[in-house]
Amino acid sequence: MLETEWLKRKADRKTREVLIGKLLMDYGFLSRDTIGESRCARPIDLLCIGNRQKQVLLTGAFHGMEWITTLLLLKFVDELCFAVMTGRNLCGVRVGAMLNQRGLAVVPCVNPDGVEIQIHGAESAGSYAELVKHISGGSTRQWQANAAGVDINHNFSANWDKLKKLELENGICCPAPTRYGGECAESEPESRTLASYCRAGNITHALAFHSQGEEIYWDFGDYHDPEALKMAKIMAYSSAYRVAEPEGLAVGGGFKDWFVQKFRRPAFTVEVGRGENPLPIEEVDAIYKKIREMLVLAVIL
């Protein structure tokens, strides 16, 4: 099992390497692949358990300030793998047998540059350091974008043109710490990497974890699948979260939106925790305890 000490550290690249390395050492059946690289050539990792021909996809850290989602996902991978290895139930579910039928794919950190910039400052952006310094005004505490100042969750091709118009109406017309969707859909290696993985595989449904708000979003455009709503309600009930509707600049351009529009299959955005981003690392255990059953249900539904 993962050492509590490392789950109490901000999820920068060093922390992720230690945690993922420990998981791979403890669980021989867990696989790790690098499915792409960020603008600054940082690896985008994929962890897989069970059947790779049919998978549920969990993703985190689309935004720099939301690195707490990475810790939550790695904590879940650890607990899930331990249950598989020992033959134990997890939240009353015999997960080992289930994963032979449908596997789990996890991308713990979609935006590794953004996380590094938020935690360690503009110098972490390498050749983009001057750009980051300029558009951040010298402080990266509120940094959400990638190293090029593009918000990854505005960069997917789901009503991207409409979202771009909204951005311009709100004065967002160039690289920024948040909400700038780029020059075109999938202009960024981070969004292309995730989209390419989904196009190449058989993903039954996907979840994108963000913070904060304790809400679950499930529909998009003309997609109002009753089964997806049922899944959202079950996950909400298990966690005491709320099924909600995004508004304004949160509509379109996101990974969940793109997955729903592209595949006509369920996808969900889960906003974990409450408070001001970045959420305090001391809240990892409390947030995880609240969403633990939801995570199990997300895999088996």
Side-chain angles (χ1 to χ4, degrees), residues 85-97:
M85 184 177 70
T86 59
R88 297 180 182 179
N89 289 353
L90 185 57
C91 295
V93 177
R94 186 59 63 90
V95 290

Side-chain angles (χ1 to χ4, degrees), residues 1-2 17-30 47 73-75 77-79 81:
M1 298 291 287
L2 293 176
E17 286 294 329
V18 170
L19 291 172
I20 293 173
K22 180 70 163 58
L23 290 171
L24 294 172
M25 184 170 60
D26 287 349
Y27 309 114
F29 51 86
L30 176 68
L47 302 177
L73 289 177
L74 292 179
K75 187 175 176 69
V77 169
D78 184 31
E79 193 170 15
C81 286

Side-chain angles (χ1 to χ4, degrees), residues 50-78:
N51 186 354
R52 296 195 65 154
Q53 303 307 309
K54 188 177 184 181
Q55 296 176 313
V56 178
L57 176 64
L58 307 183
T59 57
F62 287 81
H63 291 138
M65 283 197 294
E66 299 175 12
W67 45 259
I68 199 169
T69 57
T70 296
L71 298 177
L72 295 168
L73 289 177
L74 292 179
K75 187 175 176 69
F76 177 61
V77 169
D78 184 31

Side-chain angles (χ1 to χ4, degrees), residues 62-67 111-119 121-122 125 128-151 175-178 277-278:
F62 287 81
H63 291 138
M65 283 197 294
E66 299 175 12
W67 45 259
N111 181 11
D113 293 346
V115 168
E116 214 72 13
I117 290 165
Q118 197 282 324
I119 295 173
Y128 296 91
E130 291 305 315
L131 172 67
V132 172
K133 288 177 185 176
H134 174 68
I135 63 180
S136 69
S139 173
T140 59
R141 175 174 169 75
Q142 302 295 313
W143 192 267
Q144 293 282 64
N146 71 352
V150 176
D151 189 321
T178 187
N277 285 326

Side-chain angles (χ1 to χ4, degrees), residues 216-227:
I216 300 173
Y217 308 136
W218 67 279
D219 62 346
F220 180 71
D222 63 353
Y223 180 86
H224 305 288
D225 182 6
E227 187 62 27

Side-chain angles (χ1 to χ4, degrees), residues 68-69 72 75 209-212 214 239 241 271-275 279-295:
I68 199 169
T69 57
L72 295 168
K75 187 175 176 69
F209 288 86
H210 293 260
S211 63
Q212 49 75 41
E214 296 191 346
S239 57
Y241 278 24
E271 299 279 358
V272 303
R274 283 190 179 276
L279 294 177
I281 198 165
E282 293 79 14
E283 294 185 13
V284 167
D285 287 343
I287 295 172
Y288 182 75
K289 184 177 180 180
K290 200 165 184 179
I291 68 170
R292 180 173 178 259
E293 186 177 13
M294 178 209 290
L295 289 164

